[in-house]
Amino acid sequence: MTVHRVMGIETEYGISVPGHPHVNSMLTSSQVVNAYGNAITLPARLKARWDYDEETPLRDARGFDLTRADADPSQLTDEDMGLANLILTNGARFYVDHAHPEYSSPEITNPFDAVVWDKAGEWIMARAAELVTRIPGAQPVNLYKNNTDNKGASYGTHENYLMRRSTPFADIVKHLTPFFVSRQVITGSGRVGLGQDGRQHGYQLSQRADFFEVEVGLETTLKRPIINTRDEPHADPEKYRRLHVIVGDANLAEVSTYLKLGTTSLVLAMLEDDFLDLDLVMDHPVREMHQVSHDPSLRHLVTLRSGRRISALQMQLEFLEQARKYVEDRLGADVDAQTVDVLDRWESVLTRLESDPMQLARELDWVAKLSVLQGYRDRDGIDWDHARLHLVDLQYSDVRPDKGLANRLQARGAIERITTDEQVAAAVQTPPTDTRAWFRGECMRRYPDAIAAASWDSVIFDVPGHDALQRVPTLEPLRGTRAHVGDLLERCATAGELLAALNRDA
Amino acid sequence: MPTRDSGEQQHRSRSEENDKVDEETAATPSTDLAARKEALDADIDAILDDIDEALETNAEEFVRGFVQKGGQ
């Protein structure tokens, strides 16, 4: 009924070795992950592998499985390729996915924590790249929190939301499609160039929009769908589905990330409670998604199946109104502070976007980036085809504090921070206290030598006195919290003691 | 649960909000706006100076060299 829910963000970072555009990016990505692992962990901890037992990337939410033979090789994400993989003490996974280093945040329960642990991922990437430069003979590696090379390739930033299994998938498709088409006005990171290869000149709201080609589907690497049907809950499948959202941009601006997770979580709550009373169904959502993105004036009118024509902003205002009514109806004065804050910020952002989008330069990525680009256009008399503008677009997302333009803008107060450096520094090391990520992260910190493997829904121990590996399932995302297992872990000096205690309780 | 008259309520609350915004905008003296715009312009100049120092040299080659493999 609120913005609170089990969620997470996974981001594939762009990676390059300046001056060497054709290096093997799988190898450089591995180098980045391993450099971090070697610096922060005991060598023994590197042996912990990912546990793929519960992964079902070919399970479709519409109720069938794709056979492995029919799948594109890039869809077989449960095959261990022997690429670098770290499970961090903050509960996150830092590994090589396809040809990119990826940070998958630990499970968090609210949009503010999503921002904190997402930002921690940026810091981890920056640190990892810095460590690579210290390896004798290694080429310096640059990492970018963006989603396209502007030459036809895209890589993802995915949001994950735990939902009630009972919510009909058809309702999800009906309401989330217009929500995703319209939320770009808030969540876009901005992009110089139109079309998948960016060859047409111009500026658009979203890094990702042009790479979406179908409305609903299982794929994530080709024919990308607005609604992804991967049904791999990493939790009790009878109770939950994990909604795997692949349309989002990688955001650097904290307010963009905060509102992206907060507003989407609220819309999902309304879906779960069958509250939404909106008819925003479109005949051509893919085309509309592109057109909304291609219009930074925000004046484009989306054509609905009903014949009505409506702007993306107006669509968002209708979702906001429903959310206000829903929260008032269900919670009244008992509503929590963060839900109120998300609603107020959402309204404030939409209202100002309506009067003059440039007012949002301190809060939203696409506006912050556009205001810098417009500054260059005015000062230097250059247009969208100019390499300097493309460079600003790219370098906006550089993870380095000195080279990354979003970082520089944040440092001088030109982009708002809602987190503090202390909160982010803590999140680099420690897990959220209120999900199973606490158990995973704390086990990694306390018993690194005894962990053979881990995943979202398990930790596997290799301890003396047991012939076989001992698998501790963590199928319930809200168990294994500090409140739940903090005392137990405190009492157990070794993993052996922990397993004995768990077996006694079982 | 949504009610039948929800549409009217939505419309009313939207137009009330718009009125509020209009009043606020109207109440702001134009000199303030001009001053604000000037401050913003000065600010963007300072930001561009700062970014000039950080930008990679040889923009064209740098951008051309950023080639990625597709991901998810």
Side-chain angles (χ1 to χ4, degrees), chain A residues 362-419:
Chain A
R362 291 189 68 248
E363 287 145 274
L364 304 182
D365 280 311
W366 76 265
V367 189
K369 193 186 277 181
L370 178 57
S371 102
V372 170
L373 291 164
Q374 194 55 48
Y376 274 105
R377 280 160 53 89
D378 294 343
R379 191 192 74 180
D380 300 349
I382 54 181
D383 210 343
W384 292 118
D385 60 338
H386 201 283
R388 191 173 307 139
L389 300 188
H390 284 274
L391 181 62
V392 167
D393 186 6
L394 173 60
Q395 223 176 307
Y396 182 85
S397 66
D398 190 319
V399 298
R400 290 173 289 180
D402 56 336
K403 286 290 189 178
L405 304 186
N407 286 336
R408 279 182 96 99
L409 291 168
Q410 281 170 347
R412 58 185 291 134
I415 293 180
E416 183 182 345
R417 290 276 307 268
I418 59 173
T419 66

Side-chain angles (χ1 to χ4, degrees), chain A residues 21 62 65 109 112 154 156 196 257 283 312 356 418 483 506:
Chain A
R62 293 166 294 186
D65 284 0
T109 63
F112 180 77
S154 183
Q196 292 193 358
T257 301
D283 274 330
D356 175 12
I418 59 173

Side-chain angles (χ1 to χ4, degrees), chain A residues 12 14-15 21 97 100 149 151 153-154 156 208 220-221 224 275 321 325 354 376 379 395 400 403 408, chain B residues 2 6 10 14 17 21 44 46-48 50-52 54-56 62-66 68-72:
Chain A
E12 298 174 344
I15 180 165
D97 194 7
H100 301 270
D149 66 356
K151 296 166 190 69
S154 183
R208 279 285 265 183
T220 55
T221 53
R224 292 186 184 86
F275 184 88
E321 272 165 18
K325 279 202 318 189
E354 226 175 5
Y376 274 105
R379 191 192 74 180
Q395 223 176 307
R400 290 173 289 180
K403 286 290 189 178
R408 279 182 96 99
Chain B
S6 64
Q10 285 170 28
R14 276 308 305 154
E17 278 158 28
V21 172
I44 194 74
I47 286 172
L48 295 186
D50 180 57
I51 291 178
D52 283 338
L55 282 183
E56 306 281 357
F62 197 88
V63 167
R64 201 185 320 120
F66 184 69
Q68 299 293 291
K69 289 227 167 21
Q72 297 223 33

Side-chain angles (χ1 to χ4, degrees), chain A residues 109-135:
Chain A
T109 63
N110 62 81
F112 180 77
D113 283 356
V115 178
V116 173
W117 270 272
D118 181 63
K119 193 91 187 165
E122 293 174 26
W123 285 27
I124 287 166
M125 289 286 173
R127 173 88 177 122
E130 187 195 329
L131 287 163
V132 170
T133 63
R134 297 199 196 157
I135 300 171

